[in-house]
Amino acid sequence: MSDRRVALVTGASRGIGAAIAERFARTGWDLTISARGREALDDRAEQLRAHGGRVEVVTADMSDDDAIGSLAQAHVAAFGRCDALIINAGMGQRGRIEDFPARRFDKLYAVNVRAPFLLLQQLLPTLRATAREHSAAKVVALASSTGVYPEPGYTAYGATKAALINLCETFNLEESENGISATTLAPGYVDTDMTEWTKDAIPAEEMISANDIAVLVSSITDLSRFAVVPNIVVTRPGTYLHRA
Ligand SMILES: NC(=O)c1ccc[n+]([C@@H]2O[C@H](COP(=O)([O-])OP(=O)(O)OC[C@H]3O[C@@H](n4cnc5c(N)ncnc54)[C@H](OP(=O)(O)O)[C@@H]3O)[C@@H](O)[C@H]2O)c1
């Protein structure tokens, strides 16, 4: 079996997930990458394989329990280990409590909280086995500054990200003595497709870069089993400390 470390990255076809996958591939990791759209994933996989590692592609919609189960199974069947589980796929939608549709709330909750829970649960035996054999395994989940500092208009999104932070902290209490720990990253606006709607007001070049997030992920996955990092807030310069 290969000595290379292995990561599963969800939402890896573009934006933050693509930057994370790129950094892993460049630094000698093998990967499973996932998202819904096959074509963009295949293109991404080809670019990642140019770094010489193995890249498996699995399409999965994070609002579909069966697809999440198949993704976890496919990853384990392909590699038999998981040094880093990167729970990055997520959806955003703005709207105030006054008129935010309850069905949209359910959808956000499914993708941003239920899917991370299922991935943690289904990959737990493999994460534990990896930590036993290779000393540590890490989980990094993309939350949001709005999960720590609520903002008007982020009714459902902020609530799901707060739940994700709580889920990962509970995971650490239950699993960190087994060598596995989870870190949530809670950034303000990152320059990706998700923030396209606000780039008239906040120029892309003044946002956090996807590469900044990839650097953090890479550092976290290099930490030993004795360093447990619960949540990291990443803000923009200036007076945005408590705002996205
Ligand atoms: N951009 C920001 O300002 C910002 C700030 C804080 C936190 N975040 C969080 O960071 C993560 C990544 O955001 P991003 O800005 O990189 O987003 P993005 O550019 O919109 O990319 C989202 C990625 O996730 C996949 N995806 C979306 N919905 C999915 C679903 N239901 N099932 C499976 N895959 C899905 C997309 O591919 P497909 O469409 O093909 O599925 C794509 O690969 C999210 O969790 C987001 O909430 C972003």
Side-chain angles (χ1 to χ4, degrees), residues 5 24 29 84 86 138 140 216-223:
R5 289 190 289 173
F24 276 135
W29 290 61
I86 312 300
K138 299 290 181 187
V140 182
L216 282 171
V217 171
S218 169
S219 304
I220 291 160
T221 57
D222 284 344
L223 294 172

Side-chain angles (χ1 to χ4, degrees), residues 10-18 20 34-38 40-41 59-64 87-92 107 111-112 115 141-146 154 157 160-161 164 185-197 207-208 210 213 244:
T10 66
S13 56
R14 60 177 189 271
I16 295 170
I20 294 169
S34 182
R36 289 167 302 180
R38 179 90 211 183
L41 268 183
T59 54
D61 184 336
M62 291 296 118
S63 62
D64 176 344
I87 303 174
N88 167 74
M91 65 181 287
K107 177 81 180 194
V111 173
N112 293 354
L142 263 295
S144 158
S145 62
T146 61
Y154 283 110
Y157 184 72
T160 63
K161 296 302 190 179
L164 179 61
L185 298 180
Y189 291 128
V190 181
D191 175 19
T192 69
D193 290 354
M194 194 180 268
T195 46
E196 216 45 59
W197 66 276
M207 292 183 178
I208 299 157
I213 304 301

